[in-house]
Amino acid sequence: MKVLNEALLSVYKSRESFMVYTQNSTARLFFTYLKDKTELFLYVKPHGTSGSQITYRRAPGDAAMNLRIQSILDHARVQKGDTELWILLYPPEIHTTTMYLPSHASSSEVRALIREQIFLHLPYPFNYDWENYAITMHENGNSENMVTVTILGKHVLPRIRELLDDYFSRVKFIGDGLQFLNIDNTYFQQLRGQTYEMILPYDEMYFVAAFRSGFHVESSVLTHGCSPSFGDYKLNHQQVYLDIRQQKNLIYQPKIQPVVAREDWRKAGLTQAAFPTWFIAANSLHQRELVNFVRQTNVIKDKSKSERPVHKYKAIHLLD
């Protein structure tokens, strides 16, 4: 138990080693968009012996957004041309779910099943852009593929383009921010190859992301009101939690475990409201496999030249 808990608190010990991957940028500006509420989080990578610099601001989504961005860059003494912009989206602005399909299914068959089994069952399907979605596929064994679908809200991109104006040309990432809750590559061996969930308190909501074998497979808003109580646990908003209530081999461990050392969050010196974006931003700096709508590519390949019949498979939702 002691080894497990120590592993859970060690993720941020090497924070200053995080670097912005784009070679021609010295800073990364995270822009969170959720129901027209926006947040700005600037990360300036270290220079020589100087540590990284971070700045956080919450702002209304209005015509003054460009002025606010320029103000943050001026304060940090960073040029616009040296900054890359990342747009983080959360449900319902973006929807991620996973279904399991035969490995011999053609790309056209996969897309038809996505429309039938996912799109038509969304609570408000008319709010999503049916022509702008990303697909990732991983082999699941037994002639079956795990197909994860991420779809954007219909009005998200036009609204963001309107808000950012000239800065939109600096955008390097648009996608589901909850995919950066992944801890598979950082934490203990017990989670390898297993399904686990992460809980992110955000304002008065609770977001949950599910991962299977280290791959992000679902994002959801936890619909249990605004209560911080999860059974026997009461969650602090300045935390992110690993939920292993379904893992039988960890029966003697706390079923909901915090993953951020308090000292690391204290050293950040930010307002309490900045915690979710701070955590997501830090994780994004050392994760390379991600779903990005800026450079979206079709990863579905026709694995069978012959048209074989495909049985109907329902989408499997891991989250309650």
Side-chain angles (χ1 to χ4, degrees):
M1 180 182 298
K2 181 178 180 181
V3 173
L4 175 61
N5 290 333
E6 288 178 351
L8 280 168
L9 296 175
S10 65
V11 61
Y12 290 103
K13 296 305 181 183
S14 59
R15 175 173 306 281
E16 294 302 332
S17 66
F18 293 158
M19 300 293 286
V20 178
Y21 285 124
T22 304
Q23 295 299 317
N24 61 354
S25 66
T26 60
R28 181 176 292 177
L29 179 63
F30 297 88
F31 177 82
T32 301
Y33 178 85
L34 180 61
K35 291 186 177 180
D36 218 26
K37 179 184 67 178
T38 61
E39 293 179 337
L40 296 171
F41 185 95
L42 179 67
Y43 174 90
V44 183
K45 70 178 181 181
H47 298 277
T49 58
S50 300
S52 61
Q53 178 182 351
I54 53 179
T55 306
Y56 169 84
R57 291 184 188 176
R58 176 170 288 191
D62 57 23
M65 183 56 62
N66 286 267
L67 295 176
R68 295 189 184 96
I69 292 177
Q70 190 60 52
S71 174
I72 285 183
L73 297 183
D74 290 344
H75 183 267
R77 299 180 180 179
V78 176
Q79 298 296 319
K80 174 183 175 181
D82 296 330
T83 306
E84 62 178 42
L85 186 58
W86 279 41
I87 297 174
L88 304 177
L89 303 172
Y90 302 134
E93 309 297 350
I94 195 166
H95 180 83
T96 300
T97 192
T98 294
M99 58 193 306
Y100 294 85
L101 301 176
S103 58
H104 60 73
S106 66
S107 59
S108 59
E109 290 171 327
V110 168
R111 291 183 180 276
L113 288 169
I114 288 173
R115 284 181 174 269
E116 179 181 341
Q117 301 298 332
I118 297 179
F119 290 173
L120 296 181
H121 290 84
L122 290 174
Y124 302 98
F126 51 84
N127 285 335
Y128 292 91
D129 184 355
W130 288 30
E131 302 302 325
N132 195 7
Y133 61 92
I135 304 172
T136 57
M137 178 184 295
H138 298 94
E139 293 185 4
N140 197 48
N142 299 320
S143 299
E144 184 182 65
N145 284 334
M146 185 174 71
V147 181
T148 300
V149 182
T150 302
I151 179 172
L152 284 172
K154 183 184 299 183
H155 304 293
V156 170
L157 284 183
R159 180 57 177 154
I160 290 176
R161 189 185 299 271
E162 179 184 19
L163 287 173
L164 297 180
D165 197 20
D166 293 340
Y167 283 92
F168 195 80
S169 62
R170 307 299 307 171
V171 173
K172 301 297 182 182
F173 171 84
I174 302 174
D176 190 337
L178 298 184
Q179 66 184 297
F180 298 116
L181 296 180
N182 188 12
I183 60 172
D184 181 74
N185 294 326
T186 310
Y187 279 49
F188 40 85
Q189 294 293 326
Q190 290 95 322
L191 290 180
R192 299 287 184 180
Q194 298 194 38
T195 299
Y196 60 90
E197 298 178 357
M198 301 294 295
I199 302 174
L200 176 71
Y202 189 99
D203 281 351
E204 299 301 322
M205 295 183 292
Y206 292 87
F207 290 102
V208 181
F211 297 87
R212 174 162 291 177
S213 299
F215 299 114
H216 177 227
V217 294
E218 191 163 354
S219 294
S220 177
V221 176
L222 196 59
T223 55
H224 81 304
C226 301
S227 172
S229 298
F230 284 65
D232 296 331
Y233 301 90
K234 187 172 182 178
L235 305 191
N236 173 12
H237 272 74
Q238 283 73 63
Q239 244 319 335
V240 176
Y241 297 89
L242 169 65
D243 186 350
I244 53 174
R245 285 176 290 182
Q246 306 303 318
Q247 302 297 338
K248 295 181 180 180
N249 63 328
L250 298 176
I251 191 171
Y252 297 111
Q253 296 296 330
K255 297 303 182 181
I256 296 181
Q257 303 189 24
V259 300
V260 180
R262 292 183 180 180
E263 182 64 15
D264 292 317
W265 166 237
R266 187 190 66 80
K267 287 179 179 178
L270 298 172
T271 179
Q272 294 183 355
F275 179 84
T277 305
W278 171 80
F279 182 86
I280 295 293
N283 275 12
S284 75
L285 298 177
H286 64 87
Q287 292 188 28
R288 294 182 180 271
E289 182 171 345
L290 47 86
V291 176
N292 184 358
F293 280 87
V294 170
R295 53 179 181 271
Q296 178 181 343
T297 57
N298 184 4
V299 298
I300 297 296
K301 297 181 179 179
D302 191 346
K303 294 190 177 183
S304 174
K305 295 182 179 180
S306 61
E307 292 294 331
R308 287 181 281 182
V310 178
H311 297 287
K312 294 182 179 179
Y313 283 67
K314 294 184 178 180
I316 298 177
H317 300 283
L318 299 177
L319 306 178
D320 294 331

